[in-house]
Amino acid sequence: MKVILTSHRVENLPFIKREFENASVIVLEEPRNDLFYDVLEGKLGIDEYVRKLDTQFPVYTKKLMEMLRDLEGREILQVEPYLEEVEKLRTFNSGDEKVREMERKVNMAYIDYAESFLKSDFDELVEKVVRFAEADAERFVMRDRMRADAIEPAENQVIEAGLMHRKLAEFLEAEIVSIPEIIAERIGAKYLESPGNVLTQAFINGEEHDFNLLAARNLVFVTLVEKKEMIPDFEGDFPHFIHEQKLVRFVNKLDYEKCKKVFTRFWSHK
């Protein structure tokens, strides 16, 4: 059993495809969706499916579905019980009460962060980022525990997961395949996680870090990182990876006061 740590980047798909081709059972990190199987069976067009989803990653989703359609003789499952419960809460106002409470806790922390952002107080904003990361870490652990409990172990199985879901592999006692680390090795670089990921993982794992410095660096990182989908120009082109890794290396050189200066200088012009 393998857990494939990845993100919604087109450049990751060739590596994901290699893992999926070698599997008998593929478990995707998404809530169950009847339209998904209509697409796999050719009853619904991929472009129409992408439009109906209204996804933030339309190019990635389209290419993923094209890839999955070509994988014959494999069982493909959607397993993400936490997000299914969230959808029930939003649509029917009924669902798992523990999930409801977790969503309330994380959303309140996010609202506090957003309100602090409007005040333009960097120190307060850093404090709110730390509190949000701590709440979000609890949510990641709950999601991974629920998902691990819902996945039925099978021979030659691969499980798609986001980069923050290492606990899932721990709960399942599964091998980890990290796509960013594979790309880093391919281009001869060392993979560095973003400061926000390091901050949240520290709370997940109960590790000690300079939380305020990580939060400060992450505020600069999320300000400067490219939000739009970046499409590779050729095989072996990794635009997101290169961009984000350069940015991580830049922010990791900043101390707290330099983070404050960069952040304030950028947002003072908005």
Side-chain angles (χ1 to χ4, degrees), residues 71-229:
L71 294 175
E72 298 180 354
R74 295 164 180 83
E75 184 178 10
I76 303 176
L77 306 171
Q78 296 171 304
V79 181
E80 224 318 345
Y82 185 95
L83 295 185
E84 289 184 15
E85 292 300 324
V86 170
E87 185 60 28
K88 290 177 186 176
L89 291 169
R90 290 174 178 169
T91 306
F92 305 109
N93 197 29
S94 64
D96 190 305
E97 285 302 316
K98 291 182 180 179
V99 172
R100 183 194 298 273
E101 179 59 25
M102 181 60 70
E103 283 297 293
R104 186 197 69 79
K105 182 176 183 178
V106 174
N107 287 334
M108 287 301 296
Y110 181 79
I111 290 170
D112 284 347
Y113 157 74
E115 289 178 348
S116 295
F117 198 100
L118 294 174
K119 295 177 185 177
S120 300
D121 185 322
F122 186 79
D123 296 330
E124 180 180 343
L125 186 55
V126 164
E127 178 186 338
K128 301 302 184 183
V129 170
V130 172
R131 290 186 181 180
F132 174 75
E134 186 173 13
D136 205 23
E138 287 187 52
R139 178 166 61 178
F140 276 120
V141 174
M142 178 181 280
R143 280 183 62 181
D144 286 351
R145 181 73 269 175
M146 290 177 65
R147 194 165 183 232
D149 290 344
I151 292 173
E152 296 184 11
E155 188 175 347
N156 200 20
Q157 181 181 54
V158 297
I159 301 160
E160 176 199 33
L163 300 178
M164 297 299 295
H165 295 282
R166 288 181 174 269
K167 275 288 181 183
L168 176 65
E170 180 182 319
F171 292 147
L172 292 171
E173 298 183 354
E175 175 187 350
I176 288 178
V177 177
S178 172
I179 301 302
E181 291 181 21
I182 292 174
I183 293 175
E185 184 177 358
R186 175 70 63 88
I187 64 175
K190 179 181 179 181
Y191 172 60
L192 298 178
E193 289 191 285
S194 71
N197 283 8
V198 174
L199 175 62
T200 306
Q201 288 285 1
F203 283 117
I204 290 174
N205 298 319
E207 300 169 348
E208 289 297 326
H209 278 275
D210 187 337
F211 298 139
N212 285 349
L213 178 58
L214 287 172
R217 287 173 173 171
N218 192 57
L219 283 169
V220 177
F221 179 85
V222 298
T223 295
L224 300 178
V225 72
E226 177 59 59
K227 311 300 191 296
K228 298 178 181 178
E229 281 190 290

Side-chain angles (χ1 to χ4, degrees), residues 24-53:
S24 301
V25 180
I26 298 167
V27 181
L28 301 177
E29 187 186 46
E30 54 188 59
R32 285 173 292 185
N33 174 359
D34 291 339
L35 293 179
F36 172 81
Y37 294 101
D38 287 342
V39 175
L40 292 187
E41 295 169 9
K43 298 176 182 177
L44 180 68
I46 292 176
D47 288 336
E48 184 178 357
Y49 176 70
V50 172
R51 285 194 300 270
K52 287 179 179 291
L53 281 185

